Amino acid sequence: MKYLLTLYAAPGAEPAPGTPDFDAMMGEYFSLSERMTGTATFLAGEGLQGVETATTLRKRAGRVETMDGPFAETREHLGGFYLIEAADLDAALRFAAEIPAARYGSVEVRPVMDY
Amino acid sequence: MSPKALLARVLERDRGRLLAALIARVGDFQRAEDALQEAAVSALVHWGRAGVPASPAGWLLRAALRKAIDGYRRDATLARHRATLAVLAAEEAADPDPQTIPDDRLRLIFTCCHPALEEKTRIALTLRSLCGLTTPQVAAVFLDAEPTMGQRLSRARAKIAAARIPFAIPGPEDLPARLHSVLTTVYLIFTAGYAQGPDAGIDLCTEAIFLARLLVQLAPDQPEVEAALALLLLTHARAAARTGPEGQTLPPSQQDRGLWNRGELAEGRQLLDRAVARRAPGPFQIKAAIAALHTQDNGPDWPQIAALYARLYDAEPTPVIALNHAVALAESGGLAQALAQVEALTPELDGYQPFHAVRADLCARSGQTGAARAEYARAIALAPSPADRSFLQARLGMLG
């Protein structure tokens, strides 16, 4: 079963780029899918650029409306995602627990629609 | 006994075992629930006509399995169901008369108490699925309307299916945390029982003790499980002595020990000793040890209790534990330290009645009469019963 893991963190919660902590964190991210072999399968994952680069679009009554910024102003910002294949929720949660963002922010774990 | 009465009794007693056995075979919590409901409806008809079967529970299981198979056949266009259908049908053909129902209730408890479900849902689902409470009875526990509780339970089962919460006993790495979640749910059911009035239809303390005993039976040699049962027994032993003659709540040190249940105390102490001997400490063992110390014949060993609360705080750093620690500290002669610790809890515990009652008492004993008066006023305003209010008013009066 596929799960989407979305990573949220408050700005400044993560180690700043250039610091040894940041390098250690990136090392964890890069090795994550390999370390999780047997628990869950990595299908896709990316880090996102900051919310200041986001644009939100709506179409109402045929008119496109674009807005500068993320869909919602939240304290913790969406920073990245993983798409994984896991046998059950426990396996997905075990994968999520290894994501560095779980320490600095929150990770939402949601099953993907099975049409 | 009428078929209807017998059915009600069988479901109350065996719902947990039947449901667990069905979920194990059917693979879906909601389908298993629905199948059991349909089997119960069917039972009313058949038992009325053909008489009550020799094994009513076995009859219900067989009938429910058939209803589940029918359900899957109706949805058989969905390819993913064909595998389940094949397994179920083979099982039904192989074992047409299941006299013994295997016990899958441990898997059921872990599912109901999964951390992905919120605490209230865990309690509700456990009471419904394992304790045989009806939906209206569970709703009454929370003072919810029945449809609201029905929806909560349906959503929980839907989430279990959609998010694929496994129907399994957790593996060794996850077990301690998951077990703690189960034991905490059981303990919350027990404390809810304590808060219930005497008019409550269901005795939640009894239900909690039933669950704890079931866990000791199904998950043997687990010290935290043994300690959880010990904690419930040691606390429940004092139930008859908890309210004073005027109806006010009494702490253990002021209770009439003649009213304590000696059997429950003995069993609790024995379980605790057994748990501690396994040399794998945990929070429930600490809580049970504290409860045991409160029941000692020569009075509570307050310094020991204080030391245990300090250790418990390391495992569970909550303000209420810090408050209880402060009470023990004060009783051990550390009045100034206790008062300082209590003051520090103001932001978190302001509005929590016991906090104000404790603070009032400590201020009074420290000679801070003005502060004591203010805290007694808060405690009185928040008091849960008229008896507790008059008890606090009497203490306020003694300040002079």
Side-chain angles (χ1 to χ4, degrees), chain B residues 274-313:
Chain B
R274 212 166 85 194
V276 168
R278 298 185 192 280
R279 302 185 145 309
F284 275 95
Q285 288 166 76
I286 302 175
K287 291 182 209 192
I290 292 170
L293 283 169
H294 275 299
T295 66
Q296 271 179 317
D297 282 325
N298 45 344
D301 183 342
W302 285 113
Q304 254 279 59
I305 294 175
L308 285 172
Y309 269 118
R311 271 182 59 201
L312 185 58
Y313 188 81

Side-chain angles (χ1 to χ4, degrees), chain B residues 163-382:
Chain B
R164 222 182 264 178
I165 291 176
F167 186 64
I169 297 166
E173 325 97 45
D174 298 332
L175 189 65
R178 294 287 305 278
L179 198 53
H180 186 77
S181 175
V182 169
L183 297 175
T184 302
T185 302
V186 172
Y187 188 51
L188 284 171
I189 292 173
F190 183 83
T191 52
Y194 246 45
Q196 278 177 314
D199 305 318
I202 303 289
D203 183 353
L204 290 177
C205 293
T206 310
E207 299 299 336
I209 291 173
F210 160 74
L211 287 168
R213 286 196 189 285
L214 184 64
L215 284 164
V216 168
Q217 178 201 327
L218 298 177
D221 307 328
Q222 291 281 354
E224 283 291 276
V225 178
E226 290 167 332
L229 177 56
L231 173 62
L232 299 192
L233 291 170
L234 290 164
T235 311
H236 196 244
R238 309 193 303 253
R242 252 186 100 222
T243 27
E246 279 98 48
Q248 78 279 33
T249 350
L250 298 169
S253 46
Q254 286 165 34
Q255 290 173 6
D256 175 2
R257 285 154 180 259
L259 295 172
W260 288 357
N261 184 319
R262 293 278 143 192
E264 284 185 323
L265 282 180
E267 192 187 352
R269 287 195 189 116
Q270 207 180 39
L271 277 159
L272 177 58
D273 289 342
R274 212 166 85 194
V276 168
R278 298 185 192 280
R279 302 185 145 309
F284 275 95
Q285 288 166 76
I286 302 175
K287 291 182 209 192
I290 292 170
L293 283 169
H294 275 299
T295 66
Q296 271 179 317
D297 282 325
N298 45 344
D301 183 342
W302 285 113
Q304 254 279 59
I305 294 175
L308 285 172
Y309 269 118
R311 271 182 59 201
L312 185 58
Y313 188 81
D314 287 339
E316 284 178 21
T318 68
V320 172
I321 288 174
L323 183 68
N324 290 330
H325 180 218
V327 169
L329 275 174
E331 297 298 324
S332 311
L335 183 56
Q337 188 189 345
L339 189 50
Q341 190 162 307
V342 168
E343 316 264 72
L345 293 169
T346 312
E348 289 157 299
L349 291 183
D350 185 66
Y352 179 59
Q353 200 266 354
F355 167 71
H356 296 287
V358 167
R359 198 170 170 191
D361 182 52
L362 296 184
C363 285
R365 283 153 71 175
S366 307
Q368 294 178 34
T369 323
R373 264 196 214 105
E375 289 304 311
Y376 270 123
R378 288 294 302 277
I380 287 163
L382 294 160

Side-chain angles (χ1 to χ4, degrees), chain A residues 13-100:
Chain A
E14 290 180 355
T19 62
D21 281 347
F22 179 84
D23 294 335
M25 181 184 75
M26 292 315 291
E28 277 188 76
Y29 273 113
F30 291 137
S31 65
L32 184 58
S33 56
E34 198 191 306
R35 281 185 287 123
M36 289 289 108
T37 323
T39 299
T41 310
F42 169 93
L43 298 176
E46 301 288 354
L48 303 178
Q49 298 191 41
V51 291
E52 63 280 0
T53 67
T55 310
T56 300
L57 181 149
R58 290 196 183 103
K59 197 167 177 182
R60 299 283 185 270
R63 273 187 57 216
V64 169
E65 301 166 2
T66 44
M67 222 176 70
D68 184 358
F71 137 81
E73 288 300 332
T74 51
R75 199 180 59 87
E76 292 190 319
H77 301 160
L78 177 65
F81 72 92
Y82 279 94
L83 183 68
I84 63 172
E85 174 74 50
D88 54 41
L89 183 63
D90 285 353
L93 290 173
R94 250 177 262 131
F95 187 103
E98 295 305 308
I99 299 172

